[in-house]
Amino acid sequence: MEQVRYFEDYAIGDGRKTMARTITETDFVVHAGHTGDFFPHHMDAEFMKTQPFGQRIAHGTMVFSIGVGLTASVINPVAFSYGYDRMRFIKPVFIGDTIHTRVTITAKEDDPKRAGFGRVIERTEVINQKGEVVLAADHIYVVERRPNAA
């Protein structure tokens, strides 16, 4: 869905929650193949039985990718992603966990590089089926200001 939303339309505290998705073994295999990360913590079930978590843990980059992908339901043609800051892998994610993402607008500021644009910071939290935050990051958008508002 496309929705035009200018810098002035964002309000601190606004947020939304995505649909959920269950992590599968196929996710682990596909992500390892895409990235080349076959680290035993993700791929070796027998090795992980000897480790503190007792089972394979999801790639942090996979949890991030899926978590962000869950938020990609609205296209804003007057905004683009500038990147992510302060990313943390807070808790492990396992095969069979179900995650969803909650995003909350936490700040707005002028864009020092682009006249007519502002930056919107959106706290992105990936949450498991137990209600635990497993990943957190700040997503920075560069967003056009409303015409004649600059």
Side-chain angles (χ1 to χ4, degrees), residues 13-148:
D14 283 355
R16 62 190 170 98
K17 176 182 159 184
T18 69
M19 299 296 292
R21 182 183 183 299
T22 301
I23 302 301
T24 67
E25 181 161 7
T26 300
D27 293 321
F28 278 49
V29 172
V30 169
H31 190 78
H34 284 162
T35 63
D37 181 353
F38 290 92
F39 201 68
H41 288 76
H42 314 304
M43 304 307 293
D44 188 336
E46 293 304 312
F47 167 73
M48 285 306 290
K49 287 178 185 177
T50 70
Q51 299 303 303
F53 292 124
Q55 60 182 311
R56 290 176 285 169
I57 57 174
H59 303 74
T61 52
M62 182 185 78
V63 175
F64 173 71
S65 297
I66 292 171
V68 167
L70 289 169
T71 70
S73 59
V74 177
I75 298 168
N76 184 356
V78 297
F80 63 91
S81 178
Y82 188 65
Y84 291 82
D85 280 343
R86 300 168 34 115
M87 185 183 317
R88 298 292 180 266
F89 305 120
I90 299 166
K91 288 189 174 278
V93 172
F94 305 108
I95 294 170
D97 281 353
T98 299
I99 60 173
H100 70 275
T101 304
R102 176 177 60 212
V103 294
T104 307
I105 305 302
T106 58
K108 293 172 58 174
E109 57 193 37
D110 292 332
D111 186 324
K113 296 181 179 182
R114 298 165 193 84
F117 288 82
R119 292 185 184 175
V120 174
I121 293 84
E122 174 182 80
R123 186 67 171 168
T124 302
E125 297 172 304
V126 179
I127 301 163
N128 67 16
Q129 71 278 3
K130 299 174 189 172
E132 301 167 326
V133 175
V134 299
L135 180 145
D138 289 335
H139 186 195
I140 305 164
Y141 288 103
V142 175
V143 185
E144 261 184 65
R145 291 183 181 273
R146 187 175 298 287
N148 301 324

Side-chain angles (χ1 to χ4, degrees), residues 1-13:
M1 173 172 81
E2 182 176 297
Q3 179 184 39
V4 175
R5 194 168 179 200
Y6 292 99
F7 178 77
E8 295 79 12
D9 300 329
Y10 289 87
I12 293 173

